Amino acid sequence: MTDLKTERAEYYGQIRRKNMAPLWESLHNLVPPQPRPQAQAAIWKYADVRDLVMQSGGLITAEEAVRRVLFLENPGLPDKASITPALYAGLQLIMPGEIAPSHRHTQSALRFIVEGSTAYTAVDGERVPMKPGDFIITPSWTWHDHGNKSAQEGGEPVIWLDGLDIPIVYHLDQGFAENYPDREQPVQRQAGDSIARYAQNMLPVRHRANNPTSPLFSYPYDRTREALDTLQRNGELDEWDGVKLRYANPATGGYPMPTMAAFMQFLPAGFCGRQYRSTDATVYSVVEGAGVAKVGGRVFEFAARDIFVAPSWATVNLDATVDTVLFSYSDRPILSALDLLREERI
Ligand code: 1HN
């Protein structure tokens, strides 16, 4: 027995020197009966992190930082700039009068505005206002810069949640980036242009609806909230999800971007959600209200502006103590495209 062990160890040493390894030693880890995420369920309480985000405003300018962001790192994925294996999350701060300079990259980004109303983001020549609860996309390879009103114009610090596909793009060695020659890209379309073209249940007459990226950049919260509110008043209530909608590419009905899905859901006061799980690890941002999220074995009491994450295949129960609205995003389009997505309503 010991002889065989020694013999095998020697043999493993020999094959390692040839850049090979024995599958039989790792087969059970490589092909588990169900996902065993290294990512953990975790919560970032806004009350704990807001001051730290604000402090960064006194330590570095947006110009120097390029993007002044504290990213939220999953405690099970240290040093990987990952909140889930595929996705990144960060809290970005822009102070009055600042500009975060224009650039573009292959990574896709979404912005979910958390606090402050005076900033804008420019995407492909159009400036889009940023208001709390708005969902805004910066598709792959689109020029983008952010700005804020000056203090004299009433500018206030603005904080948003960035969601990007950084880890998966990094893992696939697909990162390309460029800086725009000027700090800001020129404004080429008037404010409201993309909403007028794409958010009125109409499309430009010759629009070709085959792009996997939404032509609509901004999904303002007042419209989202009204939709959820109407459905709720009309009696819609799923026992798992409450009232839940998915953000769509209006030209195709598909996801807003090829790598990230986003959702908004309303949970009425007293809602006690049934157990759910899915293989898309999901980041939640609390828009309004308060409640309890049970994620795997963990119990998170959440309040407005908190952020929490559910790993792949972790069970999730959502309870609301008062009327609650949750934004969430995940890598669902990737899993769907690869025919890997599984979900279970328990
Ligand atoms: C980026 O371009 C932004 O444009 C935010 O606001 C976060 C993280 C990594 C790489 C690029 C932005 C980012 C980023």
Side-chain angles (χ1 to χ4, degrees):
M1 191 58 198
T2 321
D3 278 356
L4 186 57
K5 243 184 162 168
T6 316
E7 216 178 313
R8 282 182 181 170
E10 265 173 31
Y11 170 73
Y12 294 166
Q14 282 175 11
I15 63 175
R16 175 167 305 132
R17 286 191 284 278
K18 300 289 180 199
N19 299 316
M20 296 191 290
L23 176 62
W24 58 86
E25 291 291 337
S26 47
L27 186 60
H28 48 290
N29 277 331
L30 293 173
V31 187
Q34 52 178 276
R36 287 188 204 141
Q38 287 187 289
Q40 295 170 18
I43 187 166
W44 288 262
K45 302 287 294 174
Y46 199 67
D48 290 341
V49 301
R50 183 188 183 274
D51 283 353
L52 293 168
V53 173
M54 289 300 297
Q55 269 181 48
S56 72
L59 293 173
I60 192 163
T61 62
E63 192 93 45
E64 189 192 347
V66 182
R67 296 296 184 261
R68 190 201 288 111
V69 183
L70 300 186
F71 54 81
L72 312 183
E73 206 163 50
N74 192 296
L77 305 169
D79 306 318
K80 293 194 162 78
S82 301
I83 192 160
T84 73
L87 301 182
Y88 158 107
L91 285 170
Q92 180 158 175
L93 169 67
I94 188 155
M95 297 298 284
E98 285 192 322
I99 288 168
S102 197
H103 68 189
R104 65 179 178 180
H105 38 68
T106 44
Q107 292 84 355
S108 301
L110 64 82
R111 327 278 171 196
F112 188 70
I113 320 312
V114 174
E115 177 179 343
S117 300
T118 54
Y120 65 83
T121 185
V123 186
D124 257 357
E126 182 176 343
R127 286 188 181 176
V128 177
M130 299 172 112
K131 309 276 180 216
D134 291 355
F135 167 65
I136 295 170
I137 64 167
T138 310
S140 177
W141 213 243
T142 52
W143 294 113
H144 56 284
D145 42 87
H146 318 302
N148 197 349
K149 283 188 183 159
S150 67
Q152 299 90 295
E153 293 167 315
E156 54 186 349
V158 175
I159 297 175
W160 65 83
L161 174 67
D162 282 317
L164 288 94
D165 52 11
I166 288 177
I168 189 78
V169 172
Y170 182 84
H171 194 73
L172 297 174
D173 289 332
Q174 301 300 318
F176 293 86
E178 287 180 353
N179 290 323
Y180 195 78
D182 302 320
R183 282 201 315 171
E184 295 173 279
Q185 60 182 306
V187 173
Q188 287 170 328
R189 279 190 294 270
Q190 295 310 302
D193 187 285
S194 95
I195 286 191
R197 285 182 205 276
Y198 303 108
Q200 307 293 1
N201 303 316
M202 303 180 89
L203 291 171
V205 63
R206 284 180 195 87
H207 185 78
R208 287 175 180 246
N210 56 2
N211 196 327
T213 295
S214 174
L216 180 63
F217 299 128
S218 171
Y219 300 73
Y221 186 52
D222 50 359
R223 293 173 171 229
T224 311
R225 188 71 179 83
E226 191 186 332
L228 293 175
D229 206 44
T230 300
L231 293 175
Q232 183 309 111
R233 274 189 276 107
N234 291 352
E236 162 93 5
L237 194 67
D238 181 85
E239 289 177 61
W240 289 265
D241 298 335
V243 184
K244 187 170 184 179
L245 297 173
R246 162 172 83 75
Y247 288 93
N249 173 340
T252 63
Y255 296 103
M257 294 179 288
T259 50
M260 289 185 283
F263 309 88
M264 193 75 100
Q265 70 197 109
F266 175 85
L267 312 174
F271 183 77
C272 203
R274 295 180 67 178
Q275 198 167 70
Y276 167 80
R277 63 178 170 175
S278 66
T279 54
D280 56 332
T282 302
V283 180
Y284 292 86
S285 172
V286 183
V287 193
E288 298 178 30
V292 176
K294 291 177 212 120
V295 184
R298 305 284 303 275
V299 178
F300 298 135
E301 283 187 28
F302 63 76
R305 298 171 171 167
D306 292 351
I307 295 161
F308 58 93
V309 59
S312 171
W313 213 230
T315 54
V316 177
N317 291 82
L318 299 171
D319 298 350
T321 40
V322 295
D323 281 358
T324 292
V325 181
L326 299 179
F327 170 80
S328 56
Y329 71 95
S330 79
D331 57 355
R332 178 167 287 232
I334 304 175
L335 303 185
S336 277
L338 303 181
D339 207 9
L340 290 171
L341 183 71
R342 289 195 192 199
E343 43 179 350
E344 193 173 34
R345 287 151 67 87
I346 301 161

